[in-house]
Amino acid sequence: PSATNRHVLVFPYPAQGHMLPLLDLTNHLASHGGFTITILVTPKILPLLHPLLQTHPSIQTLVLPFPSHPKLPVGAEHVSHIGNHGNFPIMTALRQLHDPIVEWFSSHPSPPVAIISDFFLGWTQCLADHLQIPRVAFYSVSSLLVHVMNSCWVHIKTDCFRSSPVIEFTEIPKSPSFKKEQLPSLVKQYQDSDPDWNLLRDDVLANTCSWACVVDTFENLDLEYLDHLRKLWGEGRVFGVGPLHLIGAAKDGRNPIRESSSEILTWLDKCPDDSVVYVCFGSQKQLSRQQVEALASGLEKSGARFVWVVKTIHETDGRSNGIPVGFEDRVSNRGILVKGWVSQVAILNHRAVGGFLSHCGWNSVLESIASGVMVLGWPMEADQFINARLLVEDWGVAVRICEGANSVPESEELGKVIAESLSRDSSEKMKAKALKREAVGAVRPNGSSWKDMQAFIYK
Ligand code: BUP
């Protein structure tokens, strides 16, 4: 943007794993880049901006009514309102914001000179073309996933793609291959006959035409795939600026977007170093009753200290969290069940946390790496199988404990793995500590993400 008008429109996608890192980026731009910023949200998303708006009162909001969609219950605006697999109708509904945005833009005395929007909002590329301003595609996923996603969407209509149970991505460095059921949910759900799906496919591919792309990753983590992106998209268009939750932190290490949860931290203060396993499956996934019971039993058998973020289970009979009767009393001296939102970043950074039982969402991956904590991985859907491959095979900082959205782990084995992961030093733990140093180094002055951020801001 020119030195005189640095007004940027930021448009996050309404899922926590997409929003939080984009808000971290916005926080950084507002603190360091001298930008005027407007964030576009729908009414129910506005409260999620509260910590950011409190820190930067100069940030403006553009609140547009959420467009209706036949597959969405009234009032659902965030992916967590509708449980698993809600992305398709939300993405489709949000496309209808094109005209209201054009209207707002046309009547603004000093309209934005650029748009930064989530890669799930690929249609904003057409919007930006229409407004004749550049658009930056924001990716809260690994560079490997960007390649896999683009390859899938290019090949999805071919017979070979349709009929093969395993897809080998020969055009991607190291030619990774994945079973079809391990590919991103949007790809798996694709319906050729549905015109909405074809629009979505075009949307996702439109990202490749963006003026620039910003990926929440860092070079020493993702170099081969990031470099390959640079080769495909052209030098000076791809910026690896992560981990963004570290970039978003102030000098005192406080990150206003990732507020801490003091009660749990006080409990962790009383625990020995590396003695607690933190259990969380992200903001979207609802487990089944059987899965919750197996986890509870595994945690009980492990004898380990734990913090477990539990959510409502995936059932229609009421709003139970599926925790077996008596479990809380039996483990009350060594475990905490969290029934709301906690600051995952603050928990993972506590010295008492020695392992992270995770669904391997990309933010969770980056947050575990940036805090040097090994992962006990249970990938379930979306990009999680791809992330688990990176964690286990490429970086060696994780072990797999289970796989699949409907699988139920064997509780005896689960308990053993949890106990072992906390009680002994392992190569995964050592590698996790080493990767933490790389992550922290990347965001320091002259680190790779710091340099890419500077290059992005002054592009
Ligand atoms: Br739950 C929970 N506190 O209690 P992922 C999540 N988080 O800070 P997902 C909390 O949400 P997508 C909680 O730190 C991470 O930044 C967590 O993102 C934070 O998984 C984010 O790990 C979750 O990518 O992501 O939710 O499945 O929305 O991308 O599907």
Side-chain angles (χ1 to χ4, degrees), residues 15-18 20 258 280 282-284 309 311 340-344 359 361-364 367 384:
Q16 288 300 12
H18 290 243
L20 285 167
R258 317 291 187 121
C280 181
S283 60
Q284 293 194 35
V309 180
K311 288 206 286 288
W341 187 260
V342 285
S343 168
Q344 177 163 301
H359 70 318
W362 183 245
N363 295 279
S364 296
E367 290 159 16
Q384 297 151 21

mmCIF file of all heavy atoms in Angstrom, residues 15-18 20 258 280 282-284 309 311 340-344 359 361-364 367 384, ligand 1:
data_model
loop_
_atom_site.group_PDB
_atom_site.id
_atom_site.type_symbol
_atom_site.label_atom_id
_atom_site.label_comp_id
_atom_site.label_asym_id
_atom_site.label_seq_id
_atom_site.Cartn_x
_atom_site.Cartn_y
_atom_site.Cartn_z
ATOM 1 N N ALA A 15 -13.981 -19.656 11.860
ATOM 2 C CA ALA A 15 -13.632 -20.882 12.601
ATOM 3 C C ALA A 15 -12.407 -20.490 13.421
ATOM 4 O O ALA A 15 -11.545 -19.773 12.907
ATOM 5 C CB ALA A 15 -13.293 -22.015 11.638
ATOM 6 N N GLN A 16 -12.343 -20.934 14.672
ATOM 7 C CA GLN A 16 -11.260 -20.450 15.548
ATOM 8 C C GLN A 16 -9.874 -20.663 14.949
ATOM 9 O O GLN A 16 -9.015 -19.793 15.030
ATOM 10 C CB GLN A 16 -11.308 -21.143 16.916
ATOM 11 C CG GLN A 16 -12.447 -20.708 17.795
ATOM 12 C CD GLN A 16 -12.432 -19.222 18.123
ATOM 13 O OE1 GLN A 16 -11.702 -18.436 17.541
ATOM 14 N NE2 GLN A 16 -13.263 -18.829 19.057
ATOM 15 N N GLY A 17 -9.664 -21.848 14.363
ATOM 16 C CA GLY A 17 -8.343 -22.168 13.834
ATOM 17 C C GLY A 17 -7.947 -21.279 12.661
ATOM 18 O O GLY A 17 -6.764 -21.167 12.323
ATOM 19 N N HIS A 18 -8.923 -20.663 12.013
ATOM 20 C CA HIS A 18 -8.636 -19.729 10.921
ATOM 21 C C HIS A 18 -8.516 -18.310 11.466
ATOM 22 O O HIS A 18 -7.683 -17.520 11.017
ATOM 23 C CB HIS A 18 -9.768 -19.752 9.887
ATOM 24 C CG HIS A 18 -9.842 -21.019 9.090
ATOM 25 N ND1 HIS A 18 -9.660 -21.050 7.727
ATOM 26 C CD2 HIS A 18 -10.076 -22.300 9.462
ATOM 27 C CE1 HIS A 18 -9.803 -22.295 7.291
ATOM 28 N NE2 HIS A 18 -10.056 -23.070 8.335
ATOM 29 N N LEU A 20 -7.982 -17.043 14.738
ATOM 30 C CA LEU A 20 -6.981 -16.620 15.728
ATOM 31 C C LEU A 20 -5.667 -16.183 15.066
ATOM 32 O O LEU A 20 -5.166 -15.092 15.371
ATOM 33 C CB LEU A 20 -6.742 -17.736 16.758
ATOM 34 C CG LEU A 20 -7.856 -17.904 17.786
ATOM 35 C CD1 LEU A 20 -7.686 -19.212 18.557
ATOM 36 C CD2 LEU A 20 -7.885 -16.730 18.763
ATOM 37 N N ARG A 258 -4.566 -14.207 22.812
ATOM 38 C CA ARG A 258 -4.528 -15.532 23.446
ATOM 39 C C ARG A 258 -4.447 -15.347 24.964
ATOM 40 O O ARG A 258 -3.431 -15.654 25.579
ATOM 41 C CB ARG A 258 -3.298 -16.317 22.968
ATOM 42 C CG ARG A 258 -2.993 -16.238 21.494
ATOM 43 C CD ARG A 258 -4.036 -16.947 20.676
ATOM 44 N NE ARG A 258 -3.649 -17.002 19.286
ATOM 45 C CZ ARG A 258 -3.487 -18.138 18.625
ATOM 46 N NH1 ARG A 258 -3.672 -19.276 19.199
ATOM 47 N NH2 ARG A 258 -3.159 -18.105 17.354
ATOM 48 N N CYS A 280 -6.583 -31.857 24.092
ATOM 49 C CA CYS A 280 -7.551 -30.969 23.433
ATOM 50 C C CYS A 280 -7.635 -31.313 21.953
ATOM 51 O O CYS A 280 -6.614 -31.527 21.301
ATOM 52 C CB CYS A 280 -7.119 -29.512 23.624
ATOM 53 S SG CYS A 280 -8.263 -28.341 22.869
ATOM 54 N N GLY A 282 -9.198 -29.374 19.563
ATOM 55 C CA GLY A 282 -9.527 -28.222 18.729
ATOM 56 C C GLY A 282 -10.939 -27.711 18.973
ATOM 57 O O GLY A 282 -11.688 -28.235 19.808
ATOM 58 N N SER A 283 -11.276 -26.692 18.208
ATOM 59 C CA SER A 283 -12.530 -25.986 18.461
ATOM 60 C C SER A 283 -13.714 -26.599 17.729
ATOM 61 O O SER A 283 -14.859 -26.293 18.035
ATOM 62 C CB SER A 283 -12.363 -24.527 18.027
ATOM 63 O OG SER A 283 -12.060 -24.482 16.647
ATOM 64 N N GLN A 284 -13.467 -27.479 16.772
ATOM 65 C CA GLN A 284 -14.577 -27.971 15.946
ATOM 66 C C GLN A 284 -15.047 -29.372 16.299
ATOM 67 O O GLN A 284 -16.223 -29.673 16.229
ATOM 68 C CB GLN A 284 -14.151 -27.977 14.474
ATOM 69 C CG GLN A 284 -13.938 -26.601 13.906
ATOM 70 C CD GLN A 284 -13.858 -26.644 12.388
ATOM 71 O OE1 GLN A 284 -14.518 -27.424 11.732
ATOM 72 N NE2 GLN A 284 -13.027 -25.788 11.824
ATOM 73 N N VAL A 309 -9.567 -30.558 27.874
ATOM 74 C CA VAL A 309 -10.630 -29.651 27.401
ATOM 75 C C VAL A 309 -11.743 -30.515 26.816
ATOM 76 O O VAL A 309 -11.555 -31.149 25.777
ATOM 77 C CB VAL A 309 -10.102 -28.670 26.326
ATOM 78 C CG1 VAL A 309 -11.211 -27.732 25.853
ATOM 79 C CG2 VAL A 309 -8.915 -27.877 26.854
ATOM 80 N N LYS A 311 -15.735 -31.153 25.440
ATOM 81 C CA LYS A 311 -16.842 -30.419 24.801
ATOM 82 C C LYS A 311 -18.085 -31.303 24.795
ATOM 83 O O LYS A 311 -18.015 -32.493 25.106
ATOM 84 C CB LYS A 311 -16.444 -30.080 23.365
ATOM 85 C CG LYS A 311 -15.385 -28.983 23.322
ATOM 86 C CD LYS A 311 -15.428 -28.200 22.031
ATOM 87 C CE LYS A 311 -14.877 -28.964 20.867
ATOM 88 N NZ LYS A 311 -13.438 -29.152 20.866
ATOM 89 N N GLY A 340 -14.884 -25.155 29.103
ATOM 90 C CA GLY A 340 -15.093 -23.914 28.360
ATOM 91 C C GLY A 340 -13.838 -23.624 27.549
ATOM 92 O O GLY A 340 -13.076 -24.533 27.232
ATOM 93 N N TRP A 341 -13.625 -22.360 27.267
ATOM 94 C CA TRP A 341 -12.467 -21.950 26.468
ATOM 95 C C TRP A 341 -11.293 -21.653 27.386
ATOM 96 O O TRP A 341 -11.450 -21.009 28.411
ATOM 97 C CB TRP A 341 -12.847 -20.693 25.677
ATOM 98 C CG TRP A 341 -11.814 -20.275 24.690
ATOM 99 C CD1 TRP A 341 -10.881 -19.285 24.843
ATOM 100 C CD2 TRP A 341 -11.595 -20.822 23.397
ATOM 101 N NE1 TRP A 341 -10.107 -19.191 23.713
ATOM 102 C CE2 TRP A 341 -10.531 -20.119 22.809
ATOM 103 C CE3 TRP A 341 -12.202 -21.851 22.658
ATOM 104 C CZ2 TRP A 341 -10.047 -20.396 21.525
ATOM 105 C CZ3 TRP A 341 -11.714 -22.123 21.389
ATOM 106 C CH2 TRP A 341 -10.668 -21.406 20.840
ATOM 107 N N VAL A 342 -10.136 -22.176 27.061
ATOM 108 C CA VAL A 342 -8.926 -21.847 27.826
ATOM 109 C C VAL A 342 -7.886 -21.308 26.860
ATOM 110 O O VAL A 342 -8.019 -21.481 25.654
ATOM 111 C CB VAL A 342 -8.310 -23.095 28.503
ATOM 112 C CG1 VAL A 342 -9.106 -23.515 29.686
ATOM 113 C CG2 VAL A 342 -8.126 -24.223 27.510
ATOM 114 N N SER A 343 -6.858 -20.671 27.384
ATOM 115 C CA SER A 343 -5.787 -20.259 26.481
ATOM 116 C C SER A 343 -4.836 -21.433 26.295
ATOM 117 O O SER A 343 -4.022 -21.741 27.155
ATOM 118 C CB SER A 343 -5.025 -19.061 27.046
ATOM 119 O OG SER A 343 -3.852 -18.895 26.267
ATOM 120 N N GLN A 344 -4.959 -22.088 25.162
ATOM 121 C CA GLN A 344 -4.111 -23.253 24.872
ATOM 122 C C GLN A 344 -2.640 -22.861 24.861
ATOM 123 O O GLN A 344 -1.788 -23.599 25.336
ATOM 124 C CB GLN A 344 -4.524 -23.844 23.524
ATOM 125 C CG GLN A 344 -3.680 -25.003 23.098
ATOM 126 C CD GLN A 344 -4.335 -25.799 22.006
ATOM 127 O OE1 GLN A 344 -5.446 -26.317 22.165
ATOM 128 N NE2 GLN A 344 -3.679 -25.903 20.879
ATOM 129 N N HIS A 359 -5.486 -33.423 18.203
ATOM 130 C CA HIS A 359 -6.045 -33.851 16.916
ATOM 131 C C HIS A 359 -5.168 -33.405 15.755
ATOM 132 O O HIS A 359 -5.455 -33.700 14.602
ATOM 133 C CB HIS A 359 -7.459 -33.291 16.752
ATOM 134 C CG HIS A 359 -7.509 -31.800 16.542
ATOM 135 N ND1 HIS A 359 -6.709 -30.907 17.247
ATOM 136 C CD2 HIS A 359 -8.253 -31.026 15.709
ATOM 137 C CE1 HIS A 359 -6.976 -29.670 16.850
ATOM 138 N NE2 HIS A 359 -7.908 -29.727 15.929
ATOM 139 N N GLY A 361 -4.583 -30.301 14.582
ATOM 140 C CA GLY A 361 -4.957 -29.105 13.817
ATOM 141 C C GLY A 361 -3.701 -28.257 13.643
ATOM 142 O O GLY A 361 -2.811 -28.294 14.501
ATOM 143 N N TRP A 362 -3.617 -27.489 12.557
ATOM 144 C CA TRP A 362 -2.358 -26.802 12.260
ATOM 145 C C TRP A 362 -1.944 -25.811 13.356
ATOM 146 O O TRP A 362 -0.765 -25.704 13.702
ATOM 147 C CB TRP A 362 -2.430 -26.092 10.910
ATOM 148 C CG TRP A 362 -1.121 -25.433 10.555
ATOM 149 C CD1 TRP A 362 -0.876 -24.110 10.409
ATOM 150 C CD2 TRP A 362 0.135 -26.096 10.314
ATOM 151 N NE1 TRP A 362 0.449 -23.887 10.104
ATOM 152 C CE2 TRP A 362 1.084 -25.102 10.032
ATOM 153 C CE3 TRP A 362 0.545 -27.442 10.323
ATOM 154 C CZ2 TRP A 362 2.432 -25.391 9.747
ATOM 155 C CZ3 TRP A 362 1.890 -27.733 10.041
ATOM 156 C CH2 TRP A 362 2.799 -26.718 9.758
ATOM 157 N N ASN A 363 -2.930 -25.117 13.935
ATOM 158 C CA ASN A 363 -2.565 -24.178 15.006
ATOM 159 C C ASN A 363 -2.009 -24.930 16.206
ATOM 160 O O ASN A 363 -1.014 -24.514 16.807
ATOM 161 C CB ASN A 363 -3.773 -23.353 15.441
ATOM 162 C CG ASN A 363 -4.245 -22.451 14.330
ATOM 163 O OD1 ASN A 363 -3.681 -21.399 14.116
ATOM 164 N ND2 ASN A 363 -5.256 -22.888 13.600
ATOM 165 N N SER A 364 -2.655 -26.033 16.529
ATOM 166 C CA SER A 364 -2.163 -26.838 17.653
ATOM 167 C C SER A 364 -0.753 -27.340 17.368
ATOM 168 O O SER A 364 0.095 -27.386 18.257
ATOM 169 C CB SER A 364 -3.106 -28.014 17.920
ATOM 170 O OG SER A 364 -4.367 -27.517 18.313
ATOM 171 N N GLU A 367 1.592 -24.417 17.821
ATOM 172 C CA GLU A 367 1.668 -24.016 19.236
ATOM 173 C C GLU A 367 2.456 -25.041 20.048
ATOM 174 O O GLU A 367 3.196 -24.668 20.962
ATOM 175 C CB GLU A 367 0.251 -23.810 19.790
ATOM 176 C CG GLU A 367 -0.411 -22.579 19.187
ATOM 177 C CD GLU A 367 -1.935 -22.578 19.268
ATOM 178 O OE1 GLU A 367 -2.500 -23.358 20.047
ATOM 179 O OE2 GLU A 367 -2.563 -21.781 18.534
ATOM 180 N N GLN A 384 -5.605 -32.804 9.207
ATOM 181 C CA GLN A 384 -4.898 -33.370 10.359
ATOM 182 C C GLN A 384 -4.025 -34.581 10.034
ATOM 183 O O GLN A 384 -2.984 -34.789 10.657
ATOM 184 C CB GLN A 384 -5.913 -33.702 11.459
ATOM 185 C CG GLN A 384 -6.617 -32.458 11.978
ATOM 186 C CD GLN A 384 -8.017 -32.722 12.494
ATOM 187 O OE1 GLN A 384 -8.354 -33.846 12.838
ATOM 188 N NE2 GLN A 384 -8.851 -31.687 12.575
HETATM 189 BR BR1 BUP B 1 -10.830 -25.845 22.070
HETATM 190 C C1 BUP B 1 -9.578 -24.458 22.223
HETATM 191 N N1 BUP B 1 -8.551 -22.819 23.568
HETATM 192 O O1 BUP B 1 -10.101 -24.143 24.496
HETATM 193 P P1 BUP B 1 -6.508 -25.872 15.433
HETATM 194 C C2 BUP B 1 -8.828 -24.059 21.170
HETATM 195 N N2 BUP B 1 -7.950 -23.018 21.312
HETATM 196 O O2 BUP B 1 -6.986 -21.489 22.699
HETATM 197 P P2 BUP B 1 -9.281 -26.571 14.900
HETATM 198 C C3 BUP B 1 -7.789 -22.393 22.524
HETATM 199 O O3 BUP B 1 -7.992 -22.725 18.973
HETATM 200 P P3 BUP B 1 -9.799 -25.279 12.408
HETATM 201 C C4 BUP B 1 -9.455 -23.823 23.486
HETATM 202 O O4 BUP B 1 -4.903 -22.699 20.686
HETATM 203 C C5 BUP B 1 -5.740 -23.076 18.430
HETATM 204 O O5 BUP B 1 -5.122 -21.851 18.193
HETATM 205 C C6 BUP B 1 -5.929 -23.270 19.925
HETATM 206 O O6 BUP B 1 -6.978 -24.499 16.050
HETATM 207 C C7 BUP B 1 -7.212 -22.525 20.143
HETATM 208 O O7 BUP B 1 -7.784 -26.778 15.455
HETATM 209 C C8 BUP B 1 -7.152 -23.025 17.880
HETATM 210 O O8 BUP B 1 -5.528 -26.534 16.311
HETATM 211 C C9 BUP B 1 -7.593 -24.335 17.296
HETATM 212 O O9 BUP B 1 -6.044 -25.577 14.067
HETATM 213 O O10 BUP B 1 -9.025 -25.645 13.697
HETATM 214 O O11 BUP B 1 -10.097 -25.862 15.894
HETATM 215 O O12 BUP B 1 -9.755 -27.912 14.504
HETATM 216 O O13 BUP B 1 -10.777 -24.234 12.823
HETATM 217 O O14 BUP B 1 -8.726 -24.786 11.517
HETATM 218 O O15 BUP B 1 -10.438 -26.529 11.926
#
